[in-house]
Structures are given as structure tokens and as C-alpha cells.
Amino acid sequence: MAPTVTKGQLYRDLAPDMRSRDRRLRVLAVGNTRADLVVEHDLGAPAGKKTHASLTRLCSAAFELVEDAADADPQYLALLAAMAEVHRPDAVPADYARAALRVVRAAEQ
């Protein structure tokens, strides 16, 4: 069963020419056959551009669901925000781990 596309979800574009750009699209609205999107992250172009995609294509192997709007746990959202801050072409796993550790330590206080 294909996942349901809902407002607020974040998808990664897995097209061959987009993989290296780590292009991520946030769902703004969902219609009967397509979703309106905004480019939230793109290492090859500026963010903020609005676009659209068919619902069938979003639910296919052409896109990966990165963040679901149903994941509203505050700590999960804080971890995502911390990881987004350190995300860059030369980021290494330790950068993400340090970002996550800061969130975990802050939650313990």
C-alpha cells in the first residue's frame, strides 16, 4: 500500500540528477492528483521555489519520505532542526551526532 501524501511532509527527490543536490520538497497542499510543494533544501539551487508533483510520483521510488507531519514529538522535531543546522555538502556523521547530543543534553536539563 502506498503512503498517503499529506500537508507538511518532507520528501527527498531521488531522481538521478537530484541525488547529489539533496533536493528536499515540503508539501504545501494536496489536491486530487497532485501536491503543491516548496523546495526547502537544494545544494544546487536556491530554496523557496514553489513547484508541484503528481501524488503517484511522490508515492513512488522517485521520492523518499524524510519527515512525516504526523511525527510531532517535540524532541524528534528538535533533533531534525539540529541536524538541518549542520547539514552541508562536507558534513560528516560526527557533525550530526554532536547536533543530536546537544538536543539530548538540553532535554535532560
Side-chain angles (χ1 to χ4, degrees):
M1 174 180 246
T4 302
V5 177
T6 60
K7 182 178 177 181
Q9 289 176 323
L10 182 68
Y11 286 87
R12 179 180 294 124
D13 191 338
L14 298 178
D17 60 331
M18 294 295 168
R19 281 182 186 254
S20 64
R21 291 170 52 170
D22 194 22
R23 186 171 188 238
R24 297 178 189 206
L25 305 148
R26 176 85 56 191
V27 178
L28 297 175
V30 180
N32 291 331
T33 60
R34 73 180 199 175
D36 294 327
L37 310 165
V38 64
V39 177
E40 195 165 282
H41 183 271
D42 190 340
L43 296 174
K49 178 183 174 189
K50 292 186 179 178
T51 186
H52 58 83
S54 76
L55 299 179
T56 303
R57 186 155 164 72
L58 276 174
C59 293
S60 74
F63 288 89
E64 173 189 13
L65 179 60
V66 176
E67 180 184 323
D68 197 335
D71 294 328
D73 179 292
Q75 191 166 17
Y76 173 75
L77 297 175
L79 284 167
L80 283 176
M83 290 173 24
E85 279 185 35
V86 299
H87 185 68
R88 61 188 183 282
D90 60 341
V92 296
D95 296 325
Y96 298 102
R98 279 190 292 277
L101 188 57
R102 281 192 298 272
V103 171
V104 170
R105 286 184 176 157
E108 291 174 349
Q109 295 180 357

